[in-house]
């Protein structure tokens, strides 16, 4: 169980306990991922984030989606489940190893026909996409230094009213610590970039490790 470290643990666990839990397939994927990667399981979104992604995609009526950072496939399954039968998700990642797990679970979940995997640097993958407003929904959860590039490349291709969800934007609450190093300053700069962007309306939710929702005006 992953809980937000900047929220009282009892409150965080209560919110998880009172949210729709993952099904058997998603639990099996989480267990296999944990066996494969150990502590790096934190690279996988939390169960409640998955539920929220499915809900957001469904509520927005998204049919064309892009994911930057697929890992073993949890988030892509949740996004695909929220789309209609003719929905299409382009999943961008650099790892054949981890996405091979994703492919197996896409098949098990019955969503493989909705997902197209594109292996390679996501910035290049995005730049090769048509530069017109065709994306309904996007999810960013990859290398943090690349966030500004991924954001800009997705935003110019996002339809007005479309939504981008960005993970890990609170960095375990360390974004407010001016002495924090690593990727925290990078994330702080990204958060400032989004907050000051007149092209969008955004909200940073104190949820999981911080989830920013960005709607194109």
């Amino acid at each position: 169980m992953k809980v937000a470290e900047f929220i009282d643990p009892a409150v965080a666990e209560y919110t998880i306990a009172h949210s729709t839990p993952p099904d058997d397939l998603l639990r099996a994927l989480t267990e296999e991922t944990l066996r494969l990667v150990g502590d790096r399981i934190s690279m996988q979104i939390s169960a409640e984030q998955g539920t929220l992604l499915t809900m957001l995609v469904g509520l927005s009526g998204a049919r064309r989606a892009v994911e930057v950072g697929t890992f073993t496939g949890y988030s892509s399954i949740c996004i695909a489940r929220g789309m209609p039968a003719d929905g299409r998700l382009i999943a961008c990642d650099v790892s054949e190893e981890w996405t091979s797990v994703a492919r197996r679970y896409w098949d098990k979940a019955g969503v493989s026909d909705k997902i197209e995997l594109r292996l390679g640097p996501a910035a290049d993958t995005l730049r090769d996409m048509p530069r017109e407003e065709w994306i309904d929904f996007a999810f960013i959860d990859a290398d943090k230094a690349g966030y500004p590039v991924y954001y800009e490349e997705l935003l110019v291709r996002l339809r007005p009213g479309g939504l981008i969800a960005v993970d890990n934007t609170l960095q375990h609450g360390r974004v407010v610590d001016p002495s924090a190093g690593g990727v925290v300053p990078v994330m702080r700069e990204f958060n400032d970039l989004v907050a000051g962007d007149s092209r969008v309306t955004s909200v940073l939710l104190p949820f999981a490790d911080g989830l920013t929702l960005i709607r194109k005006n």
Side-chain angles (χ1 to χ4, degrees):
M1 177 186 294
K2 288 168 49 176
V3 298
E5 297 177 19
F6 41 85
I7 298 177
D8 181 281
V11 175
E13 291 179 9
Y14 183 88
T15 63
I16 292 171
H18 290 79
S19 300
T20 300
D23 62 12
D24 289 343
L25 181 138
L26 290 175
R27 281 194 289 267
L29 173 54
T30 299
E31 291 168 3
E32 179 169 344
T33 302
L34 179 60
R35 289 195 302 271
L36 290 171
V37 305
D39 291 343
R40 286 182 292 169
I41 188 66
S42 60
M43 293 171 61
Q44 179 177 285
I45 65 169
S46 63
E48 67 275 16
Q49 280 180 291
T51 302
L52 180 61
L53 286 179
T54 301
M55 186 180 294
L56 289 173
V57 172
L59 287 171
S60 65
R63 294 178 57 250
R64 294 162 296 187
V66 176
E67 172 185 71
V68 179
T70 296
F71 194 37
T72 58
Y74 195 110
S75 56
S76 48
I77 290 172
C78 294
I79 293 169
R81 282 177 166 177
M83 294 191 298
D86 63 346
R88 294 295 179 267
L89 166 64
I90 297 175
C92 307
D93 206 282
V94 295
S95 173
E96 176 66 42
E97 179 183 8
W98 302 135
T99 56
S100 66
V101 178
R103 286 180 185 273
R104 285 195 286 108
Y105 278 87
W106 294 342
D107 287 339
K108 292 179 180 180
V111 297
S112 56
D113 60 331
K114 295 182 181 180
I115 304 174
E116 177 189 347
L117 176 63
R118 297 189 184 179
L119 288 174
D124 294 340
T125 301
L126 295 174
R127 290 177 181 131
D128 286 342
M129 293 178 180
R131 196 175 175 85
E132 55 190 49
E133 296 175 327
W134 60 275
I135 298 172
D136 300 313
F137 182 88
F139 181 52
I140 302 175
D141 184 18
D143 60 296
K144 310 314 169 194
Y147 273 28
V149 173
Y150 305 148
Y151 169 68
E152 185 60 36
E153 294 298 330
L154 287 166
L155 187 62
V156 297
R157 294 166 173 81
L158 193 72
R159 66 166 173 80
L163 187 67
I164 301 175
V166 185
D167 197 19
N168 304 122
T169 48
L170 286 180
Q171 290 293 296
H172 308 287
R174 292 181 297 152
V175 286
V176 297
D177 180 0
S179 67
V183 300
V184 174
V186 173
M187 188 58 69
R188 192 181 297 123
E189 291 178 7
F190 173 74
N191 291 338
D192 290 343
L193 170 69
V194 173
D197 193 342
S198 62
R199 298 171 296 175
V200 303
T201 300
S202 65
V203 58
L204 200 169
L205 301 175
F207 174 76
D209 188 29
L211 185 70
T212 301
L213 302 181
I214 305 162
R215 184 179 184 273
K216 186 172 182 178
N217 295 335

